[in-house]
Amino acid sequence: MDSNGDDRTDNRADDRTVGRVRAAALAGVRALLLAVVAPAGSIVLFVLAVVSIVLVPLGIGIVTTPWVLAAVRGFADWRRLVAARWCGVRIPPAYRPVPKGANPWGRCFHLLADPAVRRDLLWLPVDMTAGFVTALLPAVLLAYPFEGFALAAGLWRVFTDGTYVGWWYGFVPVGGQLSALGAAALGAALLVTGVHTAPFLLRVHFLLTRSVLASGQGKLAERVRVLTETRRDAVDTSAAELRRIERDLHDGAQARLVAMGMDLGTIDALIEKDPAKARQLLAQARRSSAEALTELRDLVRGIHPPVLAERGLGDAVRALALRMPIGTEVDVALTGRLGAPVESAAYFAVSEVLTNAVKHSGAERIWVDVHHAPVHGGMLRVTVTDDGRGGATVGGGSGLSGVERRLGTFDGVLAVSSPVGGPTMVTMEIPCELS
């Protein structure tokens, strides 16, 4: 008889049970957090949105509505982020970019005409009602049973002396020790149900969220639309990048090389007539060649940093942090290399976010966390946090809008938490695998 084999089977069964209990407990805590935060945020934002839209005809709403809708979008983006992170439910954003240079009227009515913004506004009352119920249910199934256990342990005596029904636990009238044991049995049944269903019920909450926030178009049609937009953005970005490279070459390295060629021609004419002047021009030509080489290196670094190609995203972000004018701490946890397109997109996204923080946040310190989680097929998560003044939003032609479009090419998600007064936390996620 193989006792070792039986022991290993028992250990695997115990491990599965412990894992199931831990997953259920984690789902219960997350559900409780959603049940507290979701209705509070949804109610406040819904009231603000309604009041602001009502005030549009008076002109006040023209100013306030874009800010309120930006807050609604940030709240929805946070929900998209936790849906992908906690349950693998992806809710792709489908907002239309606000035209650059739009006046307040144009910006306000562009946002109100955006189907994605209207879905956000429709989602708020759903989230504060059905969303609250679906978030609360897993927490209740895991927490409510302990009341039944407490009644069976003697708590029933607080409500009755055993001669009348002093408390109802679910559908069980508690009037003595025997009925309290019945309450405990019901609690045990609820607890077993909660352990087995809590992760699924939490996923149902996010599926409800996706049913409202996701586009009403067919999945394939929506995917075609997103790909069309990201392709157009990629073409526009590539064209702008080519123009920048041409401009930098024309105004920088090319001009210096032309000047150096003219200096060499002059040196050739003066080398016998005026050796001193020729040596002076030769030194100038040497300086010009060094400056041209430096500019070419900077240009290449802007296209694709050598450290990124040679050593990967982690070291490239560390090198980027060293060039920041304010203190920047980097924490990297990557056990392998990412695909080159993903590395490039993540690197330039981090670069843009850091540049925004330096220019606009007034921060004294920045923290960057880069790690890869092997969940839902693999997920690169990058978080950039600063201690600045806050108030950062996505939209209106900001740099964060460009970051969102860049990540959207890879089905990535961008979420911004930036209350007035700070701190600002920008979280970026890209589904990918390590090689």
Side-chain angles (χ1 to χ4, degrees):
M1 184 173 181
D2 189 358
S3 59
N4 291 333
D6 293 340
D7 290 341
R8 284 194 295 270
T9 301
D10 292 341
N11 289 336
R12 284 196 294 269
D14 291 342
D15 290 343
R16 285 195 297 270
T17 302
V18 171
R20 182 179 293 114
V21 171
R22 287 178 177 174
L26 182 59
V29 172
R30 289 170 170 174
L32 183 60
L33 174 64
L34 287 172
V36 173
V37 174
S42 298
I43 291 172
V44 170
L45 289 173
F46 183 73
V47 171
L48 289 176
V50 170
V51 172
S52 184
I53 293 172
V54 168
L55 293 176
V56 167
L58 300 179
I60 300 175
I62 296 297
V63 178
T64 60
T65 298
W67 290 97
V68 173
L69 294 181
V72 173
R73 178 175 176 177
F75 189 61
D77 283 341
W78 172 74
R79 193 63 61 83
R80 289 184 177 94
L81 185 65
V82 297
R85 180 177 295 181
W86 292 353
C87 291
V89 177
R90 303 200 61 79
I91 312 173
Y95 300 99
R96 296 175 180 174
V98 178
K100 293 183 179 179
N103 58 37
W105 282 89
R107 184 181 181 190
C108 178
F109 287 107
H110 175 88
L111 290 172
L112 291 175
D114 188 346
V117 173
R118 293 201 295 266
R119 286 195 296 272
D120 287 351
L121 295 175
L122 175 64
W123 166 69
L124 291 176
V126 174
D127 190 50
M128 70 179 73
T129 53
F132 169 72
V133 173
T134 55
L136 186 62
L137 185 57
V140 169
L141 284 175
L142 294 173
Y144 188 53
F146 291 95
E147 180 184 336
F149 302 152
L151 289 170
L155 184 63
W156 65 271
R157 293 185 176 89
V158 176
F159 306 106
T160 179
D161 59 3
T163 61
Y164 61 92
V165 175
W167 190 258
W168 282 80
Y169 178 77
F171 55 82
V172 177
V174 178
Q177 183 63 52
L178 184 61
S179 57
L181 291 174
L186 175 59
L190 292 176
L191 183 60
V192 171
T193 302
V195 168
H196 285 82
T197 62
F200 169 76
L201 292 174
L202 182 62
R203 182 178 175 84
V204 168
H205 169 83
F206 290 121
L207 292 175
L208 172 66
T209 301
R210 185 173 67 180
S211 69
V212 182
L213 287 182
S215 172
Q217 304 176 43
K219 185 175 181 180
L220 181 58
E222 173 65 11
R223 183 61 178 162
V224 169
R225 188 195 66 79
V226 171
L227 289 175
T228 301
E229 288 188 358
T230 55
R231 182 188 63 183
R232 183 174 62 250
D233 291 336
V235 170
D236 292 343
T237 302
S238 298
E241 188 70 10
L242 285 175
R243 289 193 297 270
R244 182 187 69 82
I245 294 171
E246 292 173 353
R247 184 180 63 252
D248 290 348
L249 285 173
H250 182 271
D251 297 341
Q254 179 179 329
R256 294 190 184 279
L257 291 173
V258 170
M260 187 173 65
M262 295 175 63
D263 288 341
L264 291 175
T266 305
I267 291 169
D268 185 53
L270 294 177
I271 194 167
E272 294 183 357
K273 297 179 182 179
D274 191 350
K277 182 66 175 177
R279 284 194 295 272
Q280 183 180 352
L281 290 175
L282 188 61
Q284 181 177 327
R286 187 181 297 113
R287 287 194 300 272
S288 295
S289 67
E291 291 172 354
L293 183 60
T294 300
E295 291 181 354
L296 287 173
R297 285 173 176 168
D298 291 340
L299 184 63
V300 170
R301 186 180 294 112
I303 299 171
H304 193 78
V307 67
L308 180 62
E310 296 171 3
R311 305 186 61 178
L313 179 63
D315 287 338
V317 172
R318 291 190 183 97
L320 187 63
L322 292 175
R323 298 199 297 271
M324 292 294 106
I326 59 179
T328 303
E329 298 181 14
V330 179
D331 183 21
V332 178
L334 298 176
T335 58
R337 290 291 299 269
L338 304 166
V342 174
E343 280 191 338
S344 181
Y347 173 83
F348 286 108
V350 173
S351 177
E352 181 67 30
V353 173
L354 289 176
T355 300
N356 280 356
V358 171
K359 287 183 178 179
H360 307 299
S361 71
E364 297 180 356
R365 201 78 183 166
I366 301 176
W367 296 267
V368 183
D369 178 74
V370 182
H371 69 279
H372 185 272
V375 296
H376 313 306
M379 187 77 67
L380 173 67
R381 293 172 179 164
V382 182
T383 303
V384 181
T385 308
D386 68 65
D387 59 359
R389 65 178 67 94
T393 59
V394 180
S398 68
L400 292 176
S401 298
V403 173
E404 186 178 50
R405 290 194 297 272
R406 185 188 294 272
L407 298 180
T409 306
F410 300 89
D411 289 336
V413 177
L414 172 73
V416 179
S417 172
S418 184
V420 176
T424 295
M425 176 181 291
V426 179
T427 303
M428 297 164 279
E429 292 194 346
I430 304 176
C432 60
E433 296 181 354
L434 293 176
S435 60

